[in-house]
């Protein structure tokens, strides 16, 4: 009876997979050892499945992100193609804007050539005017020199008239003295008196004539001086006008040279434009073909992701099923293993937060898991419950806290997409602060599991 009772206790110990002295029954000892090995293998399989489902989730996230990037690139290429080339017509004929541009350039080339010819004609006329202006200046300078000589002659005549006038005054005085002397001589001086009177009258007429000549010469001199002044002003004006004509001539010549270069360039552009037009057509076809190809690639990638999603779901279901099995004593997870998973969850949590920080700092969006059920901790959380009653309230409260934590990531990415970088920084500071409480809860669970 005692042996039977002992065996019953051992059977119960085996059913609960508890340590006992199984040396009394070799069969139960063998069963116990096999069950222990099975539990160990079960734990290893569970661990591998957890890692596999995490890797599949990461792969799914990356593939979806890259697929969306390809779709976005395809959309941008399509928009750029439509912007550059315009939409294809209903009849299938492509937009001929580039041909119109080429024709417009050819027309501009013709107009530029006309402008060049007109500038050339104007330049020839300016050349004639410049030559005439130079000749006029030469004539005016010659006239000015002649007027200067005339003034010199008039000054000379004026000096001669002054000398004649002086001689007339002296002759008049001599005639007067001769008359006085003739009067003193009486009869003998009467004839001499007549001659003296005639000389005096001739001197008076000479004085009157020289006075008129002096007035006439003065008038001529005044007019000549005005003419010289006018000639000088004319020369200055002509030289100024000639300078402006030369300046306009230089500008016109420079314009002519530039228009000639422009005309040559436009001809070259027209030729190149025709080549570009053909190349653009070819490029348009290639871009449209590339867009269609990328759309097809995106479609194929989405199809390719579907099995990955199915595999992820299968693995996740497997992990959850294994978690349910761990409720049984035969498959129960040791608390030390549970503590290790929580420790890994804390590390994954910090890595997630670090990746979010890097996105905010670089203002560049990278793949980030926003589904709280698919992150490293999420797969473990929804597949397993700790067998430690003291931490169950903390464990149950983690679900809502963990979801809120991942929603912060979605808000940060939305802010970055909208260019609201200051808002993204503020949201990151909030989630970093919020994560402290989440990590504290996980560390409490880990500490309790270790005990």
């Amino acid at each position: 009876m005692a042996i039977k009772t002992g065996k019953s206790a051992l059977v119960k110990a085996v059913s609960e997979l508890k340590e006992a002295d199984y040396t009394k029954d070799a069969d139960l000892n063998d069963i116990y050892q096999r069950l222990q090995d099975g539990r160990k293998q079960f734990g290893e399989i569970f661990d591998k499945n957890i890692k596999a489902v995490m890797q599949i989730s990461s792969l799914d996230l990356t593939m979806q992100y890259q697929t969306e990037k390809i779709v976005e690139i395809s959309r941008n290429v399509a928009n750029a193609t439509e912007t550059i080339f315009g939409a294809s017509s209903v009849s299938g004929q492509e937009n001929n804007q580039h041909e119109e541009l080429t024709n417009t350039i050819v027309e501009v080339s013709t107009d530029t050539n006309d402008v060049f010819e007109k500038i050339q004609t104007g330049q020839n006329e300016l050349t004639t005017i410049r030559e005439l202006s130079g000749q006029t200046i030469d004539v005016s300078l010659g006239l000015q020199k002649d007027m200067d000589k005339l003034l010199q002659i008039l000054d000379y005549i004026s000096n001669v008239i002054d000398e004649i006038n002086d001689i007339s005054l002296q002759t008049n005085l001599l005639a007067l003295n001769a008359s006085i002397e003739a009067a003193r001589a009486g009869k003998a001086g009467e004839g001499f008196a007549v001659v003296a009177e005639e000389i005096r009258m001739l001197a008076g007429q000479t004085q009157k004539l020289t006075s008129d000549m002096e007035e006439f010469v003065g008038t001529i001199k005044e007019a000549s001086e005005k003419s010289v002044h006018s000639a000088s002003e004319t020369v200055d004006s002509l030289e100024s006008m000639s300078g402006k004509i030369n300046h306009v001539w230089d500008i016109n010549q420079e314009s002519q040279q530039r228009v000639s270069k422009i005309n040559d360039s436009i001809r070259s552009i027209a030729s190149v434009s025709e080549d570009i037009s053909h190349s653009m057509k070819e490029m348009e076809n290639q871009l449209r073909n590339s867009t269609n190809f990328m759309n097809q690639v995106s479609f194929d990638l989405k199809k390719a992701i579907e099995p990955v999603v199915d595999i992820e779901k299968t693995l996740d279901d497997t992990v959850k099923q294994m978690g349910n099995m761990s409720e049984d004593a035969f498959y129960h997870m040791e608390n030390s293993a549970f503590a290790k998973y929580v420790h890994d969850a804390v590390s994954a949590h910090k890595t997630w937060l670090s990746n979010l920080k890097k996105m905010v700092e670089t203002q560049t969006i990278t793949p980030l898991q926003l589904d709280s059920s698919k992150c490293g901790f999420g797969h473990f959380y929804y597949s397993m419950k700790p067998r430690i009653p003291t931490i169950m309230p903390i464990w149950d409260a983690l679900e809502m806290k963990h979801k809120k934590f991942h929603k912060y990531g979605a808000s940060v990415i939305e802010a970055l997409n909208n260019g609201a970088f200051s808002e993204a920084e503020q949201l990151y500071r909030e989630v970093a602060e919020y994560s402290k409480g989440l990590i504290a809860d996980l560390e409490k669970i880990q500490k309790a599991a270790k005990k």
Side-chain angles (χ1 to χ4, degrees):
M1 187 70 177
I3 297 173
K4 185 178 180 180
T5 303
K7 187 172 183 178
S8 176
L10 289 175
V11 170
K12 184 178 180 182
V14 169
S15 67
E16 294 177 356
L17 218 61
K18 290 183 178 180
E19 292 184 1
D21 185 9
Y22 294 102
T23 56
K24 297 176 181 180
D25 191 316
D27 291 335
L28 287 178
N29 185 52
D30 182 60
I31 291 172
Y32 175 76
Q33 293 298 329
R34 288 169 64 185
L35 288 175
Q36 280 285 65
D37 292 341
R39 174 191 279 185
K40 182 180 179 181
Q41 291 177 6
F42 180 83
E44 292 174 353
I45 293 171
F46 181 80
D47 184 62
K48 290 178 180 179
N49 279 337
I50 281 285
K51 291 179 179 178
V53 73
M54 288 169 56
Q55 290 174 352
I56 288 293
S57 294
S58 177
L59 175 63
D60 178 34
L61 175 66
T62 302
M63 290 182 70
Q64 287 187 12
Y65 177 81
Q66 296 302 333
T67 300
E68 290 300 322
K69 291 294 289 183
I70 292 175
V71 171
E72 183 182 359
I73 292 171
S74 175
R75 190 182 301 115
N76 291 337
V77 171
N79 292 336
T81 303
E82 300 304 327
T83 301
I84 295 172
F85 303 104
S88 298
S89 62
V90 178
S91 62
Q93 295 179 349
E94 297 179 349
N95 197 294
N96 61 349
Q97 291 180 347
H98 300 291
E99 292 181 0
E100 294 177 0
L101 175 62
T102 302
N103 294 333
T104 302
I105 292 174
V106 172
E107 292 176 0
V108 170
S109 177
T110 302
D111 294 339
T112 306
N113 190 59
D114 293 339
V115 171
F116 175 77
E117 291 178 354
K118 290 179 180 178
I119 291 175
Q120 191 172 23
T121 301
Q123 185 74 347
N124 294 335
E125 293 179 357
L126 276 173
T127 301
T128 302
I129 293 172
R130 186 175 69 167
E131 291 174 354
L132 290 173
S133 176
Q135 294 173 2
T136 304
I137 291 174
D138 292 339
V139 172
S140 298
L141 289 173
L143 177 62
Q144 189 178 22
K145 290 180 180 179
D146 293 339
M147 294 302 296
D148 289 337
K149 289 181 180 180
L150 177 60
L151 284 175
Q152 292 176 0
I153 293 171
L154 290 174
D155 287 337
Y156 178 74
I157 293 173
S158 180
N159 291 332
V160 171
I161 290 173
D162 289 339
E163 291 178 357
I164 293 172
N165 195 34
D166 290 339
I167 293 171
S168 298
L169 286 174
Q170 292 177 5
T171 303
N172 191 25
L173 288 174
L174 289 172
L176 179 62
N177 290 332
S179 297
I180 293 171
E181 292 297 328
R184 288 179 181 175
K187 287 273 189 186
E190 287 180 358
F192 187 72
V194 173
V195 174
E197 182 61 25
E198 289 294 332
I199 291 172
R200 190 178 63 80
M201 289 177 61
L202 180 60
Q205 290 176 358
T206 300
Q207 286 181 344
K208 184 176 182 306
L209 180 60
T210 54
S211 177
D212 292 340
M213 286 181 66
E214 188 174 4
E215 183 178 353
F216 176 72
V217 170
T219 302
I220 294 174
K221 187 176 181 180
E222 182 180 357
S224 297
E225 288 176 348
K226 289 181 179 180
S227 297
V228 169
H229 183 69
S230 298
S232 179
E233 290 182 348
T234 301
V235 169
D236 292 340
S237 299
L238 286 172
E239 287 178 345
S240 176
M241 183 178 66
S242 179
K244 292 178 180 179
I245 290 173
N246 287 331
H247 182 63
V248 172
W249 190 90
D250 292 338
I251 292 174
N252 202 59
Q253 186 182 37
E254 184 178 354
S255 299
Q256 185 181 10
Q257 293 172 352
R258 290 185 177 180
V259 171
S260 178
K261 290 181 180 178
I262 291 171
N263 194 29
D264 293 339
S265 299
I266 291 177
R267 285 199 190 96
S268 299
I269 291 171
S271 176
V272 173
S273 180
E274 292 178 353
D275 296 336
I276 291 175
S277 182
H278 295 301
S279 299
M280 291 292 278
K281 284 183 180 179
E282 184 178 352
M283 184 172 70
E284 179 182 5
N285 293 331
Q286 291 178 355
L287 283 174
R288 294 191 189 276
N289 292 336
S290 298
T291 302
N292 295 333
F293 175 75
M294 283 190 287
N295 287 333
Q296 185 62 43
V297 169
S298 302
F299 178 79
D300 293 340
L301 278 174
K302 289 180 179 179
K303 284 292 183 182
I305 292 173
E306 291 177 1
V308 176
V309 176
D310 293 338
I311 294 171
E312 180 186 11
K313 186 178 184 306
T314 301
L315 285 172
D316 189 57
D317 291 341
T318 302
V319 169
K320 288 177 181 177
Q321 186 176 1
M322 294 181 73
N324 293 332
M325 291 173 65
S326 68
E327 297 292 328
D328 192 283
F330 289 111
Y331 305 106
H332 175 62
M333 180 184 294
E334 297 294 337
N335 286 345
S336 59
F338 184 85
K340 179 181 180 300
Y341 281 118
V342 176
H343 175 269
D344 293 342
V346 172
S347 299
H349 174 93
K350 292 179 178 179
T351 299
W352 187 94
L353 193 63
S354 175
N355 291 335
L356 185 65
K357 180 181 180 181
K358 188 179 296 184
M359 280 197 291
V360 172
E361 290 176 344
T362 62
Q363 300 177 0
T364 303
I365 297 173
T366 55
L368 189 70
Q369 184 60 263
L370 302 179
D371 189 341
S372 60
S373 66
K374 293 185 177 182
C375 69
F377 176 71
H379 284 295
F380 173 72
Y381 181 83
Y382 289 105
S383 65
M384 180 74 60
K385 282 192 176 181
R387 296 172 62 89
I388 308 171
T390 56
I391 63 173
M392 284 306 298
I394 302 175
W395 181 263
D396 292 337
L398 280 176
E399 181 176 12
M400 295 306 298
K401 292 181 178 180
H402 190 233
K403 285 182 178 180
K404 183 177 179 180
F405 176 74
H406 279 272
K407 284 182 179 179
Y408 268 112
S411 299
V412 169
I413 290 175
E414 182 180 3
L416 289 174
N417 280 327
N418 295 332
F421 303 122
S422 298
E423 181 184 351
E425 291 177 1
Q426 177 61 32
L427 287 169
Y428 171 75
R429 286 193 289 270
E430 291 179 14
V431 69
E433 185 65 28
Y434 181 79
S435 71
K436 293 178 180 178
L438 195 58
I439 291 176
D441 289 343
L442 291 171
E443 288 176 343
K444 288 178 183 177
I445 293 172
Q446 182 184 0
K447 184 177 181 180
K450 286 180 178 180
K451 287 183 179 180

